[in-house]
Coordinates of all heavy atoms in Angstrom, one line a residue:
K36 N 8.6 135.1 60.7 CA 9.1 136.3 60.1 C 8.3 136.7 58.8 O 7.9 137.8 58.6 CB 10.6 136.2 59.8 CG 11.2 137.4 59.0 CD 12.6 137.1 58.6 CE 13.2 138.3 57.8 NZ 14.6 138.0 57.4
L37 N 8.1 135.7 58.0 CA 7.4 135.9 56.7 C 5.9 136.2 57.0 O 5.3 136.9 56.2 CB 7.5 134.7 55.8 CG 8.9 134.4 55.3 CD1 9.0 133.1 54.5 CD2 9.4 135.6 54.5
Q38 N 5.3 135.6 58.0 CA 3.9 135.9 58.4 C 3.8 137.3 58.9 O 2.8 138.0 58.6 CB 3.4 134.9 59.4 CG 3.2 133.5 58.9 CD 2.8 132.5 60.0 OE1 2.9 132.8 61.1 NE2 2.5 131.3 59.6
A39 N 4.7 137.8 59.7 CA 4.7 139.1 60.2 C 5.0 140.2 59.2 O 4.3 141.2 59.2 CB 5.7 139.2 61.4
T40 N 5.9 139.9 58.3 CA 6.3 140.9 57.3 C 6.5 140.3 55.9 O 7.6 140.1 55.5 CB 7.6 141.6 57.7 OG1 8.6 140.6 57.9 CG2 7.5 142.5 59.0
P41 N 5.4 139.9 55.3 CA 5.5 139.2 54.0 C 6.1 140.0 52.9 O 6.6 139.5 51.9 CB 4.0 138.8 53.7 CG 3.2 139.8 54.5 CD 4.0 140.0 55.7
E42 N 6.0 141.4 53.1 CA 6.5 142.3 52.0 C 8.0 142.2 52.0 O 8.6 142.7 51.0 CB 6.0 143.7 52.3 CG 6.6 144.4 53.5 CD 5.9 144.0 54.8 OE1 4.9 143.2 54.7 OE2 6.2 144.5 55.9
V43 N 8.7 141.6 53.0 CA 10.2 141.7 53.0 C 10.8 140.9 51.8 O 11.9 141.3 51.4 CB 10.7 141.0 54.4 CG1 10.4 139.5 54.4 CG2 12.2 141.3 54.6
V44 N 10.1 139.9 51.3 CA 10.6 139.1 50.2 C 10.7 139.9 48.9 O 11.4 139.6 48.0 CB 9.8 137.9 50.0 CG1 9.8 137.0 51.2 CG2 8.4 138.2 49.6
E45 N 10.0 141.1 48.9 CA 10.0 141.9 47.7 C 11.1 142.9 47.7 O 11.4 143.6 46.7 CB 8.6 142.6 47.5 CG 7.5 141.6 47.4 CD 6.1 142.4 47.3 OE1 6.2 143.6 47.3 OE2 5.1 141.7 47.2
K46 N 11.8 143.0 48.8 CA 12.9 144.0 48.9 C 14.1 143.5 48.1 O 14.4 142.3 48.2 CB 13.3 144.3 50.3 CG 12.1 144.9 51.1 CD 12.6 145.2 52.6 CE 11.5 145.9 53.3 NZ 11.9 146.2 54.7
P47 N 14.8 144.3 47.4 CA 16.0 143.9 46.7 C 17.1 143.4 47.6 O 17.3 143.9 48.7 CB 16.5 145.2 46.0 CG 15.3 146.1 46.0 CD 14.5 145.8 47.2
G48 N 17.7 142.3 47.3 CA 18.7 141.7 48.1 C 18.2 140.8 49.2 O 19.1 140.2 49.9
D49 N 16.9 140.7 49.4 CA 16.4 139.8 50.5 C 16.6 138.3 50.1 O 16.2 138.0 49.0 CB 14.9 140.1 50.8 CG 14.4 139.3 51.9 OD1 14.7 139.5 53.1 OD2 13.7 138.3 51.6
N50 N 17.1 137.5 51.0 CA 17.3 136.1 50.7 C 16.5 135.2 51.6 O 16.9 134.1 51.9 CB 18.8 135.8 50.8 CG 19.3 136.0 52.2 OD1 18.6 136.6 53.1 ND2 20.5 135.4 52.5
S51 N 15.4 135.7 52.1 CA 14.6 134.9 53.0 C 14.1 133.6 52.4 O 14.1 132.6 53.1 CB 13.4 135.8 53.5 OG 13.8 136.9 54.2
L52 N 13.5 133.7 51.2 CA 13.0 132.5 50.6 C 14.1 131.5 50.3 O 13.9 130.3 50.4 CB 12.3 132.9 49.3 CG 11.0 133.7 49.5 CD1 10.3 134.0 48.1 CD2 10.0 132.9 50.4
L53 N 15.3 132.0 49.9 CA 16.4 131.1 49.6 C 16.9 130.4 50.9 O 17.2 129.2 50.9 CB 17.6 131.9 49.0 CG 18.8 131.1 48.7 CD1 18.5 130.0 47.7 CD2 19.9 132.0 48.2
K54 N 16.9 131.2 52.0 CA 17.3 130.6 53.2 C 16.3 129.5 53.7 O 16.7 128.4 54.1 CB 17.4 131.7 54.3 CG 17.9 131.2 55.6 CD 18.0 132.3 56.6 CE 18.5 131.8 58.0 NZ 18.6 132.9 59.0
L55 N 15.0 129.8 53.5 CA 14.0 128.8 53.8 C 14.1 127.6 53.0 O 14.0 126.4 53.5 CB 12.6 129.5 53.6 CG 11.4 128.6 54.1 CD1 11.5 128.3 55.6 CD2 10.1 129.3 53.8
K56 N 14.4 127.7 51.7 CA 14.5 126.6 50.8 C 15.7 125.7 51.3 O 15.6 124.5 51.3 CB 14.8 127.1 49.4 CG 15.0 125.9 48.4 CD 15.3 126.4 47.0 CE 15.6 125.3 46.1 NZ 15.9 125.7 44.7
N57 N 16.8 126.4 51.6 CA 18.0 125.6 52.1 C 17.7 124.9 53.4 O 18.2 123.8 53.6 CB 19.2 126.6 52.3 CG 19.7 127.1 51.0 OD1 19.5 126.5 49.9 ND2 20.4 128.3 51.0
L58 N 16.9 125.5 54.3 CA 16.5 124.8 55.5 C 15.7 123.6 55.3 O 15.9 122.5 55.9 CB 15.8 125.8 56.4 CG 16.6 126.9 57.1 CD1 15.7 127.9 57.8 CD2 17.5 126.2 58.2
Y59 N 14.8 123.7 54.3 CA 13.9 122.5 54.0 C 14.8 121.4 53.3 O 14.6 120.2 53.6 CB 12.8 122.9 53.0 CG 11.6 123.4 53.7 CD1 11.1 124.7 53.6 CD2 10.9 122.5 54.6 CE1 10.0 125.2 54.3 CE2 9.7 123.0 55.2 CZ 9.3 124.3 55.1 OH 8.2 124.7 55.7
A60 N 15.8 121.8 52.5 CA 16.6 120.8 51.9 C 17.5 120.1 53.0 O 17.7 118.9 52.9 CB 17.5 121.5 50.9
Q61 N 17.9 120.9 54.0 CA 18.7 120.3 55.0 C 17.8 119.4 55.9 O 18.3 118.3 56.3 CB 19.2 121.4 55.9 CG 20.2 120.9 57.0 CD 20.8 122.1 57.8 OE1 20.5 123.3 57.5 NE2 21.6 121.7 58.8
A62 N 16.6 119.7 56.1 CA 15.7 118.9 56.9 C 15.4 117.6 56.1 O 15.4 116.5 56.7 CB 14.4 119.6 57.2
K63 N 15.2 117.7 54.8 CA 15.0 116.5 54.0 C 16.2 115.6 54.0 O 16.1 114.3 54.2 CB 14.7 116.9 52.5 CG 14.5 115.8 51.6 CD 14.1 116.3 50.2 CE 13.9 115.1 49.2 NZ 15.1 114.4 48.9

Side-chain angles (χ1 to χ4, degrees):
K36 175 183 176 182
L37 293 175
Q38 287 173 352
T40 55
E42 67 278 2
V43 70
V44 298
E45 300 178 1
K46 294 182 179 180
D49 181 77
N50 65 346
S51 298
L52 294 180
L53 178 60
K54 184 177 179 181
L55 186 59
K56 178 183 177 181
N57 290 336
L58 286 169
Y59 273 116
Q61 188 178 354
K63 179 176 180 291

